[in-house]
Structure formats: structure tokens, C-alpha cells
Amino acid sequence: MVTVVTTPEQLGAKAHSDGGWGEPGYVPVQTRSARFSSTHHDDFPAVTGLEADWKLTPVKLVRPLIDGELDGSIYDYVADIPAGVSVAWVDRDDALIGRAGTPEDRASANAWSTFDKALAITVTSEDHVALTISRSTLGGAARAAHMVITAKANSNATVILESTGKATLAENVEIVVEDGAKLTVVSLQEWSDDSLQLSSHFATVGRDAFLKHIVVSLSGAVVRLNPSVHLAGEGSDTELYGLYFADAGQHFEQRVYLHHLGANTRGRVNYKGALQGTGARTVWVGDVLIGPDASGTDSYEQNRNLVLTEGTRADSIPNLEIETGDILGAGHASATGRFDDEQLFYLQSRGISEAEARRLVVIGFLSEIIQKIGSPQLEARLHSAIDAELSLTAAVTS
């Protein structure tokens, strides 16, 4: 019989400074950056659903991705690859792997432990180029995947990852933005309604580099996508955006971590979501940590949720830690509410029907995020998708 010993570090505890509190002298980790991490699934304790990181997630539904056997083989994708960009499968031991971060939960580690090859996207072009990776044939079997996006020094690109069809997927995406580079990464989830996805995105941003990261979740049974961005270089800059529209029975979850490490860094986090139908559920947790060496930091995070019908639930939890007093500014905000009656009255008083007024308010609410993408074709597609969602709202409320 094998006995598994769980250490306090694995449970998010560290030795107390004076060793005199409690038995055996351990207290919970107090700083976001001190969480336990490992690339090995079995290094993490079993997930019960009571843990802080899992208590808002439907663990029973995604258990196969947390503990099950995963198919780590390569998958089919479609891409029109421009000059200045390379796309190739690389082995697990390639030097590109592991530069951006390390799993902090058991599902992420399960995917990391299982994948056969990683899809490596490397950008060298200093003139802006755009790449779209589309995948739609992952199937219903539980899968593991790994992707590495590297923007070489002074490069400039937009990378769009489109996911459609049926999937049961645990995935890690690493993003490395080297000094002086500019990179936009868009992750679009339009899975089938019975799909499951647990995904962790790790990013590190170099000196005077810029990362724009956008998450768009429109369909799937459970989609949990957690971005973790480290502003490591002096003068590094990031903008993290999210848009989600949850229908009845859908669960969309994002746990954002922004870590200011270098001096004179700037961070902006803005996630917006809409919910409709009984059982629609969204979770947003935003952690911002300004480290002791991050003097001159300018950081702000916010989350807004618009409730369209009865029977929905939106959890929104912003957190801010500051370990230096020498900053330009830092703040956070969160709000969840229904339609603004004054906005609806204003539009209806000008001859616009109630249904059209509601549509315009929702489109206006979410368009702020859509406009950040920078791809007219994709932006138009998302507007059409939201219009389709709103037609369901009209049916539900009529």
C-alpha cells in the first residue's frame, strides 16, 4: 500500500515566523505569489470542492479533467501562417517549455503531466502580423493540450485562438513577451453546449514590452480559464480583458492574477459579462499583487456583470495586495446589476421598442471589450453572436 503524505505547503500553508502559533506551527499563505506550484499532478492534494480555488466551480462535472486519464496526443488545427511567424509541434523537453509559469492547481498539473507535444508559435516579425489558430475536432474524449506563444524581442503580432465544436479539455498556454515586443492574444471559446474546459494561461512580459490578453467565452457547459500575468521587466505593460455571456445551465469562470514585479509597470484589468436563463453562473476572481520592487506601478482592475433574467448568479471578487508604498496608483472595483431603467426609458421615449432598447444597452455594455480586439472580422462575428444570444433573452422574457 502506498501512503500519500500531504505537506502544509501543498495545502497553502507555511511555517509561522515564530513557530509559536498553533500545531504544528503553520498558517495559511498570506501572499498570492506564495501559492504552491508544481508540474506534477500527484504533488497536489485531492480536490474536494471545499478549497478556496474550487468552491465556486462545479467540481463533479470537471472531475475527469482534474484526476482522469487524458489523451495528450497532437490535434488537428487550421492556420494561415504569415511571414515572420512559425508554428510547429515541439517535444516536452524543448527549451521553450516552462518559461512563463508553473501550474497552481491539480487540473493544470494533470494537463502538464500528460501532453505529448506542445504547439509552439514563435513571432519574429517587427511589422504587425496576425495569426488565427482554429480547432474544432477535439472530440468528446478527455484531452490534455499545451501551447507556447513566444513574441521575440521587438516583434509585433496578434494571435487568435478559436475553439469550436465538442471538447473535454484541460490545457496550459504559455505566453512569453520578450523585451520591446507587442503581443495581443485572443482566446475565443465557442464550444458546443456540452463541452468542458479547464485552461490556465501563464504570461511573462519583459522590459518595455506590451501584452494585451482577451478572453471571450460564449458557449460550453463549463469553461474555466485562468490568466496569470507577470510583469517582470521594467516598464512592462499589460491590458487584460474578458467578455462572457452565460445562458441557462452554463458556468463560465475566470480567475485573473496580475503580478507587478518590475519597476514602472502598468496594468489594466477589465472583464464584463452578461447572464440569462435559470442556472446561468459566472465567477470572476481578480488578484493583483504589487511586489516590493514594483515602484512606480500604475494598476487598476474591474469587473462588471449585467443580469438579464431571473435565476442567474454572478460571483465577483477583486483582491489587491501592495508590498511597496512607492506607486503611482492602484485600485479595484466590482458591480453586478440589472438594466438601467433610465437608459431604457430614454431610448423608449425616442420611439425605440423595449426589446430593441434592451438589445442596444447590452451591445453598448459589451462593445467596450469587443472593440479592444483589433480584428474587424472577429469583432463583427462577436456582435452577431451576441445578437443571437439576445434573441434568446427576448424568448425567455416574452
Side-chain angles (χ1 to χ4, degrees), residues 69-86:
E69 183 177 347
L70 306 178
D71 176 5
S73 62
I74 64 175
Y75 52 82
D76 293 329
Y77 65 87
V78 176
D80 186 7
I81 304 172
V85 178
S86 66

Side-chain angles (χ1 to χ4, degrees), residues 18-56:
D18 61 12
W21 182 86
E23 291 293 340
Y26 289 95
V27 296
V29 166
Q30 300 297 307
T31 304
R32 179 63 175 81
S33 59
R35 289 187 181 180
F36 177 78
S37 63
S38 173
T39 59
H40 301 290
H41 168 266
D42 292 340
D43 286 348
F44 290 86
V47 174
T48 66
L50 300 178
E51 300 82 1
D53 282 353
W54 291 103
K55 66 181 182 180
L56 300 178

Side-chain angles (χ1 to χ4, degrees), residues 86-263:
S86 66
V87 181
W89 293 103
V90 299
D91 293 330
R92 293 180 54 88
D93 59 355
D94 193 280
L96 293 171
I97 308 297
R99 294 180 61 193
T102 307
E104 292 185 351
D105 66 61
R106 191 172 170 98
S108 177
N110 196 25
W112 199 300
S113 301
T114 309
F115 77 92
D116 293 338
K117 290 180 180 290
L119 187 64
I121 301 168
T122 304
V123 180
T124 56
S125 175
E126 294 188 8
D127 296 323
H128 181 264
V129 291
L131 168 70
T132 298
I133 299 286
S134 299
R135 53 189 185 179
S136 59
T137 60
L138 295 184
R143 273 186 165 273
H146 199 102
M147 181 179 292
V148 181
I149 304 171
T150 305
K152 304 299 287 185
N154 301 311
S155 63
N156 189 350
T158 296
V159 177
I160 299 173
L161 176 60
E162 293 183 343
S163 299
T164 59
K166 183 177 177 58
T168 303
L169 177 66
E171 180 177 43
N172 293 295
V173 177
E174 297 189 68
I175 303 168
V176 177
V177 188
E178 296 185 358
D179 295 350
K182 296 180 180 179
L183 178 66
T184 296
V185 176
V186 182
S187 180
L188 172 60
Q189 286 66 237
E190 285 190 297
W191 302 111
S192 65
D193 288 339
D194 56 349
S195 292
L196 306 174
Q197 180 188 19
L198 299 181
S199 183
S200 294
H201 288 204
F202 308 96
T204 181
V205 186
R207 186 184 70 249
D208 296 325
F210 173 72
L211 170 66
K212 182 190 293 184
H213 185 274
I214 304 174
V215 177
V216 180
S217 297
L218 298 179
S219 56
V222 179
V223 176
R224 171 175 150 139
L225 197 156
N226 300 338
S228 176
V229 178
H230 303 272
L231 296 177
E234 182 174 357
S236 56
D237 188 354
T238 191
E239 295 177 1
L240 310 179
Y241 298 107
L243 182 156
Y244 45 93
F245 201 127
D247 288 322
Q250 293 180 329
H251 179 103
F252 295 157
E253 182 170 346
Q254 298 94 175
R255 294 174 177 266
V256 185
Y257 174 34
L258 174 56
H259 189 185
H260 293 267
L261 287 161

